[in-house]
Amino acid sequence: MRAILTWHSLDRSGSPISVAPDEFRRQISWLLSQSIRIVTVDELLQLDDRTDAAALTFDDGFANTFTEGLPVLREHGLPAVWFVVTGHVGGHNRWGGREATGIPTLPLLDWDDLARLRDGGMTVGGHTRTHTNLTTLGEAELDREISQSADEIGVRLGVEPAGFSYPYGGADSNVAAVVARRHRWACTTELRPIGRQLDRYRLPRLDMWYLRETARRTGWGSPAFRTWLWARRAGRRLRR
């Protein structure tokens, strides 16, 4: 089974976007113990669907992913991609100046931190300028959110972002087409592994918040594991 895995914040608040640092370490140890290949997203998309492999991603660019997550990745020589909101780099996750109910307000990585990630072999991708739901925007605003984000990453870090992550998973055909002008692939929040029918601009991911319990991580790629993911995905759709 191939899958893109994602985390947001590595903190102990217990929020829906938070995985505790010690749990993150256990999750990485579990992946390695299962002989699951950890590769970049670009490499993952080239592998056969029968290969057990995963790519690691972080959304929003929380500073704690640098202090708590990066040492674990370096310890094992693992690659990962950070999707950053360029208009909030060095600030906090109060998107639009508002706090979200049940979500902690936390500091985000600054450009020096992101340069260190780049220099250490990690990848930085786009996550818009302001973390807005792209499906709600007009054409001009949509282009600004995506293109200006890519431009700023290019200027600040000297590399064009290969990947993109849709805030809140908001992506329709029009949004995906605009993202495709500047990126090679893009990730949604759809909770499932990568299948044989591959759409590079609507890549699903497994949110590791759902895999905090050891029992949920057993049987990677097995029918039982896939059925559990399907049930979780169906539950999310009903709640929405």
Side-chain angles (χ1 to χ4, degrees):
M1 185 180 83
R2 296 178 299 162
I4 301 173
L5 314 182
T6 191
W7 294 264
H8 288 76
S9 176
L10 301 181
D11 70 77
R12 295 179 177 83
S13 69
S15 86
I17 67 163
S18 305
V19 169
D22 52 347
E23 177 56 27
F24 173 76
R25 181 177 285 276
R26 284 193 291 270
Q27 289 176 337
I28 295 299
S29 295
W30 167 74
L31 289 167
L32 297 175
S33 73
Q34 300 299 303
S35 299
I36 298 167
R37 291 176 59 185
I38 307 300
V39 297
T40 67
V41 175
D42 283 297
E43 290 170 328
L44 187 72
L45 300 181
Q46 299 301 317
L47 292 175
D48 186 277
D49 193 54
R50 294 167 293 181
T51 304
D52 285 333
L56 314 181
T57 70
F58 296 94
D59 274 13
D60 302 335
F62 287 100
N64 56 43
T65 60
F66 188 93
T67 56
E68 302 286 357
L70 183 61
V72 179
L73 301 181
R74 282 178 170 166
E75 178 182 338
H76 298 289
L78 304 179
V81 55
W82 271 255
F83 296 112
V84 300
V85 183
T86 55
H88 287 255
V89 169
H92 294 79
N93 60 312
R94 289 189 292 269
W95 317 128
R98 298 181 299 274
E99 292 189 3
T101 303
I103 302 298
T105 296
L106 297 166
L108 303 174
L109 296 164
D110 60 29
W111 288 109
D112 287 341
D113 295 327
L114 295 172
R116 293 187 187 99
L117 287 174
R118 175 207 61 199
D119 293 344
M122 302 300 174
T123 304
V124 177
H127 199 37
T128 73
R129 292 192 63 255
T130 64
H131 203 277
T132 189
N133 187 329
L134 296 174
T135 61
T136 68
L137 303 182
E139 195 68 27
E141 285 183 289
L142 175 61
D143 185 67
R144 280 196 297 271
E145 282 288 335
I146 295 167
S147 295
Q148 290 183 15
S149 168
D151 287 341
E152 190 155 19
I153 292 170
V155 169
R156 294 277 193 165
L157 301 179
V159 290
E160 280 286 309
F164 187 87
S165 171
Y166 302 104
Y168 313 109
D172 56 24
S173 58
N174 184 51
V175 170
V178 177
V179 168
R181 297 173 192 165
R182 298 294 301 271
H183 304 84
R184 292 200 299 267
W185 48 265
C187 294
T188 68
T189 58
E190 186 179 0
L191 187 71
R192 64 177 177 85
I194 294 175
R196 291 185 179 88
Q197 300 300 315
L198 183 65
D199 183 342
R200 285 177 169 267
Y201 293 97
R202 297 194 187 201
L203 297 173
R205 289 187 288 178
L206 305 187
D207 190 329
M208 295 301 284
W209 186 86
Y210 291 105
L211 297 174
R212 291 164 297 152
E213 299 175 19
T214 303
R216 298 302 184 196
R217 297 196 293 264
T218 57
W220 170 273
S222 68
F225 186 84
R226 291 174 183 268
T227 298
W228 179 79
L229 286 176
W230 177 88
R232 295 300 312 183
R233 188 163 67 250
R236 291 171 73 183
R237 287 173 181 161
L238 287 173
R239 286 194 297 274
R240 289 172 181 170

